[in-house]
């Protein structure tokens, strides 16, 4: 069992702040993904859990025990690295067995666990090889095996799939998910790949510039982003932003920018009421277009198609509306062409509204 | 049709000319490399060949013109004198009875060569062992552990290497004298360590830094303390650089002359270079004996080099990280 708690944790390297004031509780057996761009502090956070980095301020708890000064080899955590970090002078068998040997396990037990893990990861035939004789995917499996055999309380993964090709990455993603379900242990996974985060995580911690931006389930993070960074970091193609202002006309609350007029649905209008004229940024995800219904005034965007990008299952439209360039994903039922005028019905229930200055959500931020 | 059949295609003749030219230039290049290699090999091997050859020659043959690369009357007298000599006192009177032109005489200090070999070997081995004991942890710490003053420590260690040995002789002498270690092989061990450890640390830091940090992290998460990470992961991977360190420190200790001359006075602590040098200040110089001593002196370093030759390989880290 392992519950991990960060209590106001800060990590600085000289004057550079890597992580600032981190408060986070990772529940036992939970799969938490730390998501963010390079340099956001996610790997530093993972290293602090492993004991590979010392804290500048704050405390880390494993269950109810403070582990700030506990060295890595005394923490019950296993880690998989982006570069695999296999020991090049040892065979695959010895690589997997190394952690057990260091913990002075009985040879019979070591052998049993290594062979079990190898069987599960389908690398039994590779046990005698050296890491240099393996492909990227095989090395990744060995790295997973090395962590698995320890049966640790906490399983840490630092971008373990980022060196694999796209197809292998998807299949390994599924295997990691299965591994979590079968091992029933706490997983902390670091990635900058939103797809990995969305598919794997019980909860996602979005980080930027050393600060936690939002913690929540994949749906919460995607549907109710608390700020513009979170909204734009998740979603591909990224969310469209249109600067404008709030306009109240009678009972109606609307977004207004030049010719664009979008009516907010009642639950949003309630939150935005009384702010007539406030500068804001409207967020529309590319897929939030309702097809097969005629565009209605106040719920549609009129614009000019710059170009169309067919992407197999869908088509992407790059269009200009209200003086800004927007990107939408639409189906293939209606074929669009370059340089045509279009009117797209927008799913107004899924609009996002942010304050222009603070960039925080006016809908979901308390 | 007939005309056409006899006309040579200008394009194909150009191709042929080009092929011939490139074949010739390739041959010329190969020949040039071969000649250079032979010259280099001759330059490197000639002194050693002469050393070995002349150690089996008499004094008269050694000075013959032209020199004999292959001894006409080979003799093992010099080696017998080194390994099986009778302990008889050599005096001016007894030496006078030997004809220096035809050779056949042995320097008065010849009996000191075997003890000197032992001294040199003991000193070199101790210096190698202590270098590894001190240098490996120091280099690992400086390469892989972030601590306050890390960079200054590295620079400080490196600056000690730019001080010439001659400038260190007097301070060393005072320290050794105060420690009461004059004429003791420990004085050599201590001073050689001061000279070689910075270089050892420097070599190993560079090597450890080239090994991925993730290995360090992986080992520590896998259950190794810092010390075990160093011994179980970094040391096996650092074998090529350890071999370089062993060779460097062994040879430095084996060849060192200046400090040994200062701190040793009797055969009890004198090393091979000092004893071999003493052969030139005897009643008469015996070149063939000195060369025989030289042959004996180069055997241990050669054995060490042959022993470790198979470890002088790189590429052990292949496959450690992504690729």
């Amino acid at each position: 069992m392992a519950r991990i708690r960060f209590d106001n944790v800060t990590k600085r390297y000289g004057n550079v702040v890597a992580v600032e004031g981190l408060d986070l509780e990772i529940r036992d057996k939970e799969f938490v993904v730390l998501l963010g761009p390079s340099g956001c502090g996610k790997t530093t956070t993972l290293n602090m859990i492993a004991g590979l980095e010392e804290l500048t301020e704050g405390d880390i708890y494993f269950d109810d025990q403070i582990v700030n000064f506990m060295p890595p080899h005394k923490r019950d955590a296993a880690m998989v690295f982006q570069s695999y970090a296999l020991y090049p002078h040892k065979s695959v068998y010895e690589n997997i067995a190394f952690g057990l040997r260091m913990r002075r396990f009985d040879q019979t037990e070591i052998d049993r666990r290594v062979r079990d893990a190898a069987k599960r990861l389908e690398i039994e035939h590779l046990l005698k090889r050296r890491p240099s004789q393996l492909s990227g995917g095989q090395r990744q499996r060995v790295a997973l095996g090395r962590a698995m055999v320890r049966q640790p309380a906490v399983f840490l993964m630092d971008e373990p799939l980022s060196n694999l090709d796209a197809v292998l990455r998807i299949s390994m993603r599924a295997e990691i998910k299965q591994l979590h379900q079968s091992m029933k242990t706490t997983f902390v996974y670091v990635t900058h790949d939103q797809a990995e985060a969305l598919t794997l995580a019980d909860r996602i911690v979005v980080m930027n510039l050393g600060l936690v931006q939002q913690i929540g389930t994949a749906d919460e993070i995607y549907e109710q982003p608390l700020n513009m960074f979170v909204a734009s970091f998740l979603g591909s193609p990224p969310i469209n932003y249109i600067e404008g202002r709030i306009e109240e006309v009678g009972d109606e609350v609307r977004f207004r920018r030049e010719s664009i007029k979008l009516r907010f649905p009642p639950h949003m209008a309630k939150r935005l009421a009384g702010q007539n004229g406030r500068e804001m940024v409207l967020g529309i995800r590319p897929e939030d277009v309702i097809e097969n219904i005629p565009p209605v005034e106040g719920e549609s965007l009129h614009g000019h198609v710059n170009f169309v990008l067919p992407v197999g299952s869908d088509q992407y439209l790059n269009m200009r509306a209200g003086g800004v360039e927007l990107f939408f994903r639409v189906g293939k039922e209606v074929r669009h062409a370059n340089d045509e005028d279009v009117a797209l019905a927008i799913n107004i229930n899924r609009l996002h509204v942010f304050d222009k200055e603070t960039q925080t959500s006016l809908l979901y931020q308390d | 049709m007939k005309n056409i059949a006899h006309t040579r295609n200008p394009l194909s003749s150009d191709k042929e000319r080009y092929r011939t030219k490139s074949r010739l230039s390739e041959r010329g290049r190969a020949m040039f490399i071969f000649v250079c290699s032979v010259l280099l090999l001759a330059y490197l091997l000639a002194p050693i060949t002469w050393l070995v050859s002349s150690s089996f020659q008499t004094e008269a043959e050694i000075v013959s013109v032209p020199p004999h690369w292959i001894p006409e009357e080979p003799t093992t007298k010099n080696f017998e004198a080194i390994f099986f000599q009778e302990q008889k006192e050599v005096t001016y009177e007894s030496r006078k009875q030997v004809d220096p032109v035809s050779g056949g005489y042995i320097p008065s200090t010849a009996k000191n060569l075997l003890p000197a070999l032992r001294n040199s070997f003991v000193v070199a081995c101790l210096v190698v062992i202590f270098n590894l004991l001190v240098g490996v942890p120091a280099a690992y710490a400086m390469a892989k552990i972030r601590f306050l003053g890390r960079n200054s420590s590295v620079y400080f260690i490196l600056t000690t290497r730019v001080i010439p040995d001659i400038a260190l002789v007097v301070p060393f002498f005072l320290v050794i004298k105060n420690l009461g270690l004059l004429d003791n092989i420990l004085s050599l061990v201590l001073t050689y360590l001061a000279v070689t450890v910075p270089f050892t640390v420097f070599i190993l830091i560079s090597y450890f830094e080239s090994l991925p940090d993730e290995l360090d992290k992986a080992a520590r998460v896998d259950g190794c303390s810092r010390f075990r990470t160093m011994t179980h992961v970094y040391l096996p991977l650092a074998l090529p650089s350890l071999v370089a360190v062993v060779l460097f420190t062994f040879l430095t200790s084996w060849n060192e002359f200046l400090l040994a001359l200062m701190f040793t006075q009797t055969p009890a602590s004198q090393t091979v270079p000092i004893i071999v040098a003493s052969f030139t200040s005897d009643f008469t110089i015996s070149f063939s004996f000195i060369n025989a001593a030289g042959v004996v002196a180069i055997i241990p370093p050669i054995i060490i080099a042959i022993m470790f030759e198979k470890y002088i390989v790189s590429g052990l880290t292949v496959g450690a990280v992504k690729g």
Side-chain angles (χ1 to χ4, degrees), chain A residues 33-36 42 157 159 189-194 196-197:
Chain A
V33 173
L34 306 178
L35 175 70
K42 54 190 190 299
M157 296 188 166
E159 308 209 28
Y189 188 105
V190 161
T191 184
H192 62 265
D193 183 335
Q194 50 163 309
E196 271 174 33

Side-chain angles (χ1 to χ4, degrees), chain A residues 40-246:
Chain A
C40 72
K42 54 190 190 299
T43 298
T44 307
T45 306
L46 198 74
N47 285 341
M48 288 192 287
I49 299 175
L52 296 169
E53 296 281 1
E54 285 175 14
L55 284 63
T56 312
E57 283 167 28
D59 297 307
I60 294 184
Y61 295 81
F62 274 22
D63 296 326
D64 294 318
Q65 188 191 2
I66 292 183
V67 294
N68 294 9
F69 300 105
M70 188 185 280
H73 63 279
K74 293 195 174 157
R75 300 184 187 200
D76 193 8
M79 194 160 173
V80 178
F81 295 86
Q82 181 180 6
S83 60
Y84 319 133
L86 301 179
Y87 309 118
H89 56 300
K90 294 182 187 294
S91 65
V92 167
Y93 183 100
E94 283 305 320
N95 262 281
I96 298 175
F98 187 71
L100 300 175
R101 288 205 196 288
M102 290 301 107
R103 285 176 165 76
R104 302 187 197 290
F105 273 66
D106 175 41
Q107 177 55 40
T108 329
E109 180 64 9
I110 292 175
D111 195 59
R112 189 186 64 76
R113 288 200 192 187
V114 171
R115 293 194 186 281
D116 275 0
K119 193 174 173 189
R120 205 154 136 195
L121 294 164
E122 295 169 17
I123 50 170
E124 284 167 297
H125 60 294
L126 305 173
L127 286 175
K128 285 182 184 162
R129 290 201 197 165
R130 292 280 171 104
S132 57
Q133 297 167 309
L134 306 177
S135 68
Q138 289 168 336
R139 286 181 204 178
Q140 187 54 276
R141 282 163 193 272
V142 177
L144 277 174
R146 188 170 65 179
M148 267 168 65
V149 288
R150 295 250 320 273
Q151 298 173 356
V154 185
F155 213 111
L156 308 171
M157 296 188 166
D158 186 6
E159 308 209 28
L161 306 183
S162 56
N163 289 328
L164 304 180
D165 62 60
V167 179
L168 197 55
R169 201 180 302 170
I170 290 167
S171 70
M172 285 299 287
R173 216 185 275 167
E175 285 187 31
I176 288 173
K177 188 82 177 171
Q178 271 182 346
L179 190 68
H180 173 242
Q181 281 162 0
S182 63
M183 287 189 71
K184 295 185 176 59
T185 186
T186 310
F187 272 51
V188 185
Y189 188 105
V190 161
T191 184
H192 62 265
D193 183 335
Q194 50 163 309
E196 271 174 33
L198 294 170
T199 49
L200 290 171
D202 292 333
R203 276 193 308 156
I204 298 172
V205 179
V206 184
M207 298 181 75
N208 189 33
L209 303 172
L211 292 169
V212 170
Q213 303 294 315
Q214 188 170 354
I215 303 171
T217 61
D219 280 348
E220 281 166 1
I221 299 274
Y222 193 77
E223 306 290 343
Q224 299 171 10
L226 293 183
N227 58 44
M228 288 174 71
F229 171 80
V230 176
S232 59
F233 198 75
L234 283 105
S236 176
I239 191 168
N240 296 293
Y241 286 129
I242 312 171
E243 286 184 15
R245 58 193 158 75
I246 295 170

Side-chain angles (χ1 to χ4, degrees), chain B residues 153-176:
Chain B
S153 314
V154 176
Y155 291 135
F156 177 74
I157 285 175
L158 286 181
T159 48
T160 60
R161 284 310 305 134
V162 299
I163 303 170
D165 289 352
I166 191 78
L168 297 170
V169 166
V170 174
F172 274 162
F173 185 83
L174 292 174
V175 171
I176 295 300

